[in-house]
Amino acid sequence: MTFVKITEQTSGYRHLEKMTIQELLFNINKEDRSVPLAVEESIPQIEKLVAAIADKMLAGGRLFYMGAGTSGRLGIVDASECPPTFGVPYGLVIGIIAGGDDAIRKAVEFAEDDREQGWKDLQEFNISDKDVVVGIAASGTTPYVIGALDMCRSKGIITGSISCNPDSPVSAAADFPVEVVVGPEFVTGSTRMKSGTAQKLVLNMISTAVMIQLGRVEDNKMVNMQLSNEKLVDRGVKMLMEKLSLTDYEQAQALLLKAGSVKKAVDDFVKV
């Protein structure tokens, strides 16, 4: 089947520089509304990937995201939010970007073109077949990502991918490919737009669903969240008061701060 790079096709809009600000915003929003529908079409693929990740993590494995540019940054954002949101240790979900940490803030020229470097970066973390590696590439053609996934599969490491072109090379390199075809971008080829939004939505779904499978959420509450600021402490106190039918805010706050999390505070209270 011929690979067509839809993400590089010409925008459906012409002469953007002649549009008013209102027209620009309306048309960008019109395009963005198509993204959730494209994600919905991919749910069966996402489900298979989430199940594979949860199985490995329940057995003690880790989740790695790999990408270049916007895709790499999105993976790092999702990985970095897992510890404060779900109370898991740093290093359980890891984001890796082509070009290293410098590439988080600024582009590193040609970093994504190095097919060998992705596997080298994974080796820094002692990657093994206990882990899962998800490559993120809007175009589906990033050598840095594809090279890493190919090496992972040769070592028996489960792989997934998130791309926005059908039947792409990165999908061929993944055991569990996810393809969210959002169509041409408003600005031709600017995949930080709809493609980036689609990738972020999928990453939200993956990490949240996996963490729920790992028991890091109870009912609909983040009972394991880190108490890293006053807003989260207040949220935790109110959760604790609701769970334990407490009416004294200060008592609940003292219990929470001593335990370090809502879940531990509930367990400690029950033991007493």
Side-chain angles (χ1 to χ4, degrees), residues 191-212:
T191 52
R192 67 187 179 84
M193 301 185 77
K194 287 191 300 182
S195 296
T197 300
Q199 290 172 327
K200 181 66 171 73
L201 291 176
V202 173
L203 288 167
N204 286 348
M205 294 168 80
I206 290 172
S207 57
T208 304
V210 167
M211 290 298 154
I212 293 171

Side-chain angles (χ1 to χ4, degrees), residues 25-270:
L25 299 180
F26 178 85
N27 288 323
I28 291 171
N29 179 249
K30 181 180 177 181
E31 288 299 300
D32 286 344
R33 290 201 298 270
S34 69
V35 176
L37 298 176
V39 172
E40 183 179 5
E41 292 291 321
S42 302
I43 286 178
Q45 294 178 325
I46 301 169
E47 180 183 5
K48 292 176 183 177
L49 177 55
V50 167
I53 294 169
D55 283 348
K56 283 292 185 179
M57 296 188 80
L58 283 167
R62 298 167 294 173
L63 170 59
F64 289 83
Y65 295 132
M66 298 194 71
T70 298
S71 297
R73 295 181 191 104
L74 288 170
I76 288 170
V77 167
D78 196 72
S80 66
E81 290 290 346
C82 287
T85 304
F86 302 108
V88 296
Y90 287 94
L92 187 67
V93 184
I94 300 167
I96 300 175
I97 186 170
D101 287 351
D102 288 346
I104 297 172
R105 292 183 177 273
K106 59 184 180 180
V108 175
E109 292 185 0
F110 303 110
E112 70 175 63
D113 298 324
D114 190 337
R115 187 180 172 84
E116 310 299 324
Q117 189 60 46
W119 176 246
K120 293 177 183 177
D121 290 345
L122 284 171
Q123 288 180 298
E124 294 287 325
F125 295 91
N126 296 315
I127 187 80
S128 77
D129 60 8
K130 295 180 180 179
D131 305 317
V132 179
V133 178
V134 177
I136 313 168
S139 68
T141 59
T142 308
Y144 174 84
V145 175
I146 295 168
L149 295 187
D150 282 341
M151 282 299 297
C152 285
R153 291 184 80 180
S154 73
K155 305 289 185 181
I157 299 168
I158 288 178
T159 57
S161 66
I162 306 170
S163 64
C164 295
N165 285 316
D167 304 309
S168 70
V170 79
S171 292
D175 297 305
F176 298 97
V178 174
E179 297 175 337
V180 186
V181 184
V182 295
E185 297 288 355
F186 181 72
V187 176
T188 299
S190 183
T191 52
R192 67 187 179 84
M193 301 185 77
K194 287 191 300 182
S195 296
T197 300
Q199 290 172 327
K200 181 66 171 73
L201 291 176
V202 173
L203 288 167
N204 286 348
M205 294 168 80
I206 290 172
S207 57
T208 304
V210 167
M211 290 298 154
I212 293 171
Q213 293 295 302
L214 295 182
R216 308 306 297 182
V217 173
E218 290 182 4
D219 188 12
N220 56 13
K221 302 292 195 300
M222 297 184 291
V223 293
N224 290 287
M225 66 184 179
Q226 292 180 355
L227 307 174
S228 55
N229 57 50
E230 290 184 5
K231 177 189 73 176
L232 295 180
V233 170
D234 180 65
R235 182 186 296 166
V237 170
K238 291 173 180 175
M239 288 165 56
L240 194 58
M241 292 175 72
E242 179 184 342
K243 276 185 162 291
L244 298 178
S245 299
L246 299 175
T247 57
D248 188 326
Y249 185 96
E250 291 185 357
Q251 179 194 7
Q253 184 179 51
L255 285 170
L256 178 66
L257 294 177
K258 181 180 179 181
S261 75
V262 174
K263 184 172 178 59
K264 290 180 181 177
V266 170
D267 291 343
D268 290 348
F269 187 85
V270 171

